Amino acid sequence: MGFAFYFFVAWLITVIFTVMKKRLTFVENSFVFLLILIISINFSWIISSELILVKLSTEPLDYTAFMINRSIGIPFIIVVTLNLMKSINSIGKSLLIMICSILIQVILVKLGTNFDVTNRENWNIMYDIIYFALLHLFAVYSLKFYQKLKQSEAIS
């Protein structure tokens, strides 16, 4: 059941990203996606394999569900969030969009626990909230840094 759910979520977020009006360029979207993908892969590897704080399922489909969420779901949700934040000029609405995105990701993690995709005995849900909040902030500031770098390169 976990595989079907995460496959559907990954498919849905990919379709949303494909059809939505993008405020970021192709290169900016690719930059954010790849950056978040690298961080997500390394973070999940550290907490599951090195620190053994989260135990992953040994069932092939459940493990694949975890990989789909980690490699497709999390980066695409953040890219969609940044595109939505870029289209709104209000800081309050941007924070609300970011908070909703964090909550969606925490719900996906919690559902992964309920579907026995992961076992989080030594891991607290607050750690996930902090991780996703920091991941969003890192994505926002990395994108701003990239845009300033691109702008300064165009000037010179």
Side-chain angles (χ1 to χ4, degrees):
M1 181 69 184
F3 175 77
F5 176 75
Y6 280 119
F7 183 81
F8 174 74
V9 168
W11 177 84
L12 183 66
I13 195 67
T14 305
V15 168
I16 289 171
F17 174 74
T18 304
V19 229
M20 76 181 291
K21 182 172 173 130
K22 295 168 199 61
R23 300 292 181 182
L24 301 174
T25 65
F26 175 77
V27 175
E28 290 170 339
N29 282 318
S30 300
F31 172 75
V32 171
F33 179 84
L34 292 173
L35 185 67
I36 297 305
L37 179 64
I38 290 168
I39 293 170
S40 178
I41 288 172
N42 285 312
F43 181 79
S44 67
W45 175 71
I46 289 170
I47 66 167
S48 64
S49 295
E50 294 298 317
L51 299 176
I52 310 172
L53 297 173
V54 175
K55 293 180 183 164
L56 303 178
S57 175
T58 56
E59 294 293 319
L61 281 179
D62 288 338
Y63 185 74
T64 305
F66 169 77
M67 300 290 273
I68 287 173
N69 185 46
R70 180 195 73 184
S71 302
I72 298 171
I74 292 172
F76 265 126
I77 290 173
I78 292 178
V79 170
V80 167
T81 302
L82 288 182
N83 277 288
L84 290 174
M85 288 172 57
K86 183 79 170 176
S87 66
I88 295 175
N89 294 330
S90 170
I91 294 175
K93 288 182 182 178
S94 293
L95 283 175
L96 182 63
I97 290 171
M98 188 183 294
I99 289 170
C100 288
S101 173
I102 292 168
L103 287 176
I104 288 169
Q105 290 179 332
V106 169
I107 289 169
L108 289 175
V109 165
K110 187 65 177 158
L111 286 172
T113 304
N114 291 343
F115 289 137
D116 293 326
V117 173
T118 58
N119 184 3
R120 297 173 176 269
E121 292 174 1
N122 301 323
W123 193 256
N124 190 342
I125 198 75
M126 279 305 294
Y127 297 150
D128 285 320
I129 293 171
I130 293 169
Y131 166 64
F132 289 127
L134 290 175
L135 200 59
H136 278 78
L137 290 174
F138 186 74
V140 167
Y141 287 112
S142 297
L143 180 63
K144 285 185 180 187
F145 176 74
Y146 175 78
Q147 289 171 339
K148 284 186 180 184
L149 188 66
K150 186 172 73 170
Q151 191 176 40
S152 67
E153 186 177 300
I155 293 173
S156 43

